[in-house]
Amino acid sequence: MEVHKFMRMLTNRQLFQQYIAQTSDSPIGLEIEKAEGIYLYSADGKKYIDLISGISVSNTGHRHPCVIKAIREQLDLYLHLMVYGEYIQSPQVRLATRLAELLPSNLSNTYFVNSGSEAVEGALKLAKRFTGRKEIVAFHNAYHGGTHGSLSVMGDETLKIPFYPLLPGITHIKINKTEGLDTITDQTACVIIEPIQGEAGVISSTTEFLAALRKRCTETGALLIFDEIQSGFGRTGKLFAFQKYNIIPDIILLAKGMGGGLPIGAFISSKEIMSSLSHDPILGHISTFGGNPVCCAASLANLEVIIAEKLSESVEAKSNILREMLAGLPGVADYRSAGLLIAVELDSFESVKKVICQAMENGIITDWFLFNSKSIRIAPPLIISDDEIRFACQVIADSIKAVMSYKS
Ligand code: PMP
């Protein structure tokens, strides 16, 4: 009883540090009371522009009215009914049908899951099961998630070594280097690639490389998996990044921006490939919450907003404003973008941290990348207006100027 009384005297920050499992020694630790559109409102009364979108999640902004309406309507009907794939649930059916309308005919069969990592797990299993092969090819500096399978295809050793042994039979090759494609053989079940590497600091594949990769996969019978968990749902200027390249994968992975703020992911392939999960053994992938009806209702509304508000069509022009205002600044060593997924490279992680802190002090939230410590990450909600971009860029530019001139 005494302990409970003591706990109630602690601040939320103290309780956060004590009772929420921490995975970093320096969490941002901002206490948010409300989020709306591109804005976050903190408990101490400050208003921030969110230039990160919860890491490429809130593409339609926070609490888009259409998403909220769809969630409310579904709340009045039913929540969870049954483990994935048993009952006919109309939010799942309508979402899968809409995705099939928007995707090429070989990407018409959807398995809904709870997260990006689970989409990766499902796809790797599907490729092994369909091809009967055991080997997997992945890429250096790739990020695919935090579970054992997705960690195994991750292309950075530092985050993996403490968790060995991971999956066997995985080879990593370099993006945009066609020499490595010989590694893909008739023993390869699948090749998994982010067409635009996010955590590596926005490294885009070239069209030539993806065309050569597609050709090699077709020749050898290896399935080509595009991880569009970060690049999907309009972020790079098309609904999906593969549409920029005109190259069609055998399996596409979605999550993050899919749910309009609710947790949902998917792996999508052809009916023929996907059917291999339904026999020998049956239940080739099982998920209790995959395709939760509230998440599916939110996801469909979110997708319709992206299409109706032509959000992907406006991405290029918005991206250009950011480039004009930030790319040429003194102290900016490199600038990479794929639509509204942007990396501003400075000279060191120290500078990056200082700029992020200073921008945050002044109401602008940016972030860093897992595998590219010298770059600041910018990934605003796609609904951000041109004027809001200009305002936010000015704050970032001032922060870069202050930090970099202090250093020189
Ligand atoms: N793939 C990519 C490309 C990602 O960016 C992420 C998340 N950052 C994941 C997979 C894993 O998604 P989740 O965190 O939802 O498991």
Side-chain angles (χ1 to χ4, degrees), residues 107 123 126-127 223-226 249-253 267-269 273:
L107 299 173
L126 176 62
L223 297 185
L224 178 57
I225 304 174
F226 270 21
D250 300 302
I251 303 176
I252 185 170
L253 312 182
F267 55 103
I268 304 179
S269 190
I273 293 175

Side-chain angles (χ1 to χ4, degrees), residues 55-57 114-120 142-147 150 192-199 227-231 253-256 263-265 370 377:
I55 312 287
S56 303
V57 168
N114 301 287
S115 68
S117 299
E118 194 190 351
V120 173
Y143 183 83
H144 296 292
T147 52
S150 58
I192 181 166
I193 185 167
E194 295 167 272
I196 292 140
Q197 291 190 325
E199 296 306 328
D227 178 342
E228 293 235 25
I229 289 164
Q230 187 144 193
S231 60
L253 312 182
L254 307 174
K256 285 190 175 282
I264 182 167
L370 268 180
R377 167 196 213 122

Side-chain angles (χ1 to χ4, degrees), residues 28 131 135 157 171 220 242 263 274-275 300 323-324 368 373 389:
I28 303 171
T131 60
E135 294 177 10
E157 290 305 302
T171 310
T220 55
F242 77 84
M274 201 67 93
S275 68
L300 180 60
R323 179 177 285 277
E324 275 158 27
W368 47 283
S373 60
I389 292 176

Side-chain angles (χ1 to χ4, degrees), residues 89-377:
Q89 304 189 32
S90 78
Q92 290 178 351
V93 174
R94 285 189 291 131
L95 177 57
T97 307
R98 190 69 175 115
L99 286 167
E101 274 169 17
L102 294 164
L103 288 165
S105 57
N106 72 315
L107 299 173
S108 61
N109 206 254
T110 297
Y111 194 119
F112 291 118
V113 291
N114 301 287
S115 68
S117 299
E118 194 190 351
V120 173
E121 297 294 336
L124 298 180
K125 285 168 64 187
L126 176 62
K128 285 163 93 176
R129 176 68 189 84
F130 178 73
T131 60
R133 304 175 185 178
K134 295 181 171 52
E135 294 177 10
I136 294 171
V137 173
F139 286 84
H140 288 291
N141 286 326
Y143 183 83
H144 296 292
T147 52
H148 267 78
S150 58
L151 206 54
S152 305
V153 284
M154 179 193 282
D156 179 274
E157 290 305 302
T158 331
L159 287 181
K160 287 163 67 165
I161 288 170
F163 304 105
Y164 279 174
L166 295 172
L167 284 184
I170 296 174
T171 310
H172 286 86
I173 60 175
K174 287 191 179 141
I175 194 168
N176 293 338
K177 300 273 184 246
T178 43
E179 308 87 87
L181 296 181
D182 288 347
T183 311
I184 304 163
T185 67
D186 59 7
Q187 300 298 306
T188 310
C190 61
V191 179
I192 181 166
I193 185 167
E194 295 167 272
I196 292 140
Q197 291 190 325
E199 296 306 328
V202 191
I203 307 295
S204 297
S205 307
T206 62
T207 307
E208 299 72 47
F209 179 71
L210 286 186
L213 174 62
R214 174 66 277 182
K215 186 163 172 277
R216 183 72 187 155
C217 286
T218 306
E219 279 164 9
T220 55
L223 297 185
L224 178 57
I225 304 174
F226 270 21
D227 178 342
E228 293 235 25
I229 289 164
Q230 187 144 193
S231 60
F233 292 94
R235 179 139 309 271
T236 68
K238 292 276 183 195
L239 188 55
F240 302 108
F242 77 84
Q243 294 163 326
K244 284 169 75 130
Y245 292 100
N246 251 330
I247 283 150
I248 300 176
D250 300 302
I251 303 176
I252 185 170
L253 312 182
L254 307 174
K256 285 190 175 282
M258 182 173 185
L262 290 196
I264 182 167
F267 55 103
I268 304 179
S269 190
S270 67
K271 193 161 173 52
E272 183 205 354
I273 293 175
M274 201 67 93
S275 68
S276 55
L277 291 182
S278 66
H279 57 91
D280 309 315
I282 60 159
L283 303 174
H285 188 69
I286 302 178
S287 183
T288 298
F289 289 124
N292 172 276
V294 183
C295 299
C296 283
S299 179
L300 180 60
N302 178 63
L303 183 56
E304 298 299 4
V305 167
I306 293 172
I307 293 165
E309 294 186 10
K310 296 192 170 21
L311 291 183
S312 35
E313 284 90 325
S314 70
V315 159
E316 194 67 30
K318 289 175 181 174
S319 181
N320 287 341
I321 303 175
L322 278 134
R323 179 177 285 277
E324 275 158 27
M325 290 190 70
L326 299 176
L329 289 178
V332 172
D334 194 13
Y335 185 96
R336 295 175 298 278
S337 66
L340 286 177
L341 184 58
I342 293 157
V344 185
E345 190 162 316
L346 304 179
D347 62 343
S348 65
F349 187 43
E350 284 310 302
S351 301
V352 164
K353 275 196 294 193
K354 284 185 186 152
V355 171
I356 291 173
C357 281
Q358 181 142 347
M360 195 184 308
E361 285 279 299
N362 292 305
I364 303 297
I365 295 190
T366 57
D367 203 4
W368 47 283
F369 292 96
L370 268 180
F371 307 148
N372 189 316
S373 60
K374 289 185 188 174
S375 296
I376 301 166
R377 167 196 213 122

